Amino acid sequence: MTPTFSWDDKIAILHLGDDENRFSPEFLDAINGQLDEIQQAGAQGLVTTGGGKFYTNGLDLDWLGAHADQTQAYVGRVQALLARVLTLPMPTAAAVTGHAFGAGAMLAMAHDVRVMRADRGFFCFPEVDIRIPFTDGMAALIQAKLTPRAAVASMTTGRRFGGQEAAEFGIVDATAAEADVTAAATDLLRPLGGKDAGTLGAIKKTMFREPARALTDV
């Protein structure tokens, strides 16, 4: 399923899909195209959400296995998306409706705030267990958003955090029932409508200059 978006007043709701929503090249093309449209329309907020069991499982490992010669370019594209969301000139919220693993969890991290389903689904950086070290950019992104305690607990262990535990560590900002995750994420952004995009974008680029640079300097 290709990512699609709809509107809740002036907040764009970007639906990543109903499957594992892995970052295939086609998915990356589609989501960047949707973000272009959302920005051009003057959205006053962005919520990303998923359907079914997954928010997103991140890297398309099957595609990577078949195109190993393109690994560097592919990771560069993924990191460019993370940097784009990190510095997007509007308030952003990830509605983590199901599993968020690896680069999918990093996409959630790139948003300003995160709301996670309370009863099911895991938030996990499995890199230590799948023997894929974090790139400088990925580590910088996560560490820009988490306390040292939460970064060590999530990055060095491969631990699977349920919603309540993720909230306790500050990995997510709130939890909600399954049917309410996207609405709760949207509600966090409603009071922020009307911020000047140029000013907000400049603030985010200053705040996150180092992780954005590390993500795009590949």
Side-chain angles (χ1 to χ4, degrees):
M1 177 177 169
T2 301
T4 58
F5 74 91
S6 58
W7 294 97
D8 184 330
D9 194 12
K10 295 182 179 179
I11 297 172
I13 312 295
L14 179 56
H15 194 290
L16 301 176
D18 290 319
D19 55 18
E20 292 190 25
N21 306 327
R22 288 188 180 269
F23 298 165
S24 67
E26 294 77 18
F27 180 94
L28 294 172
D29 287 340
I31 196 170
N32 277 302
Q34 303 282 22
L35 290 174
D36 289 343
E37 286 191 47
I38 288 165
Q39 286 190 252
Q40 287 163 8
Q44 294 187 5
L46 169 72
V47 173
T48 60
T49 186
K53 292 172 58 178
F54 301 94
Y55 172 70
T56 160
N57 260 353
L59 299 183
D60 189 338
L61 298 178
D62 289 341
W63 186 90
L64 261 180
H67 302 84
D69 59 316
Q70 298 177 50
T71 297
Q72 188 168 358
Y74 171 76
V75 172
R77 289 198 65 196
V78 170
Q79 294 195 166
L81 173 63
L82 297 176
R84 180 177 187 178
V85 175
L86 181 65
T87 58
L88 205 67
M90 66 184 72
T92 59
V96 184
T97 47
H99 298 310
F101 272 70
M106 293 173 207
L107 178 63
M109 273 291 139
H111 293 67
D112 298 334
V113 291
R114 286 153 293 289
V115 178
M116 186 172 172
R117 180 175 168 177
D119 61 328
R120 292 187 68 186
F122 292 115
F123 196 105
C124 177
F125 298 118
E127 280 73 9
V128 70
D129 291 324
I130 60 175
R131 301 184 181 184
I132 300 178
F134 294 96
T135 65
D136 288 353
M138 291 172 175
L141 165 63
I142 298 165
Q143 290 176 274
K145 294 300 184 83
L146 296 182
T147 65
R149 171 176 175 256
V152 170
S154 59
M155 294 175 70
T156 68
T157 66
R159 184 171 172 179
R160 298 182 175 198
F161 293 85
Q164 299 293 354
E165 195 176 29
E168 289 166 12
F169 273 85
I171 294 169
V172 300
D173 299 271
T175 61
E178 177 185 6
D180 301 327
V181 176
T182 302
T186 308
D187 286 343
L188 288 179
L189 300 189
R190 286 193 205 285
L192 305 175
K195 302 293 184 192
D196 178 71
T199 305
L200 182 58
I203 288 170
K204 286 190 184 183
K205 284 180 179 177
T206 301
M207 284 179 71
F208 302 120
R209 178 174 288 122
E210 292 309 315
R213 181 181 293 156
L215 285 165
T216 54
D217 185 20
V218 290

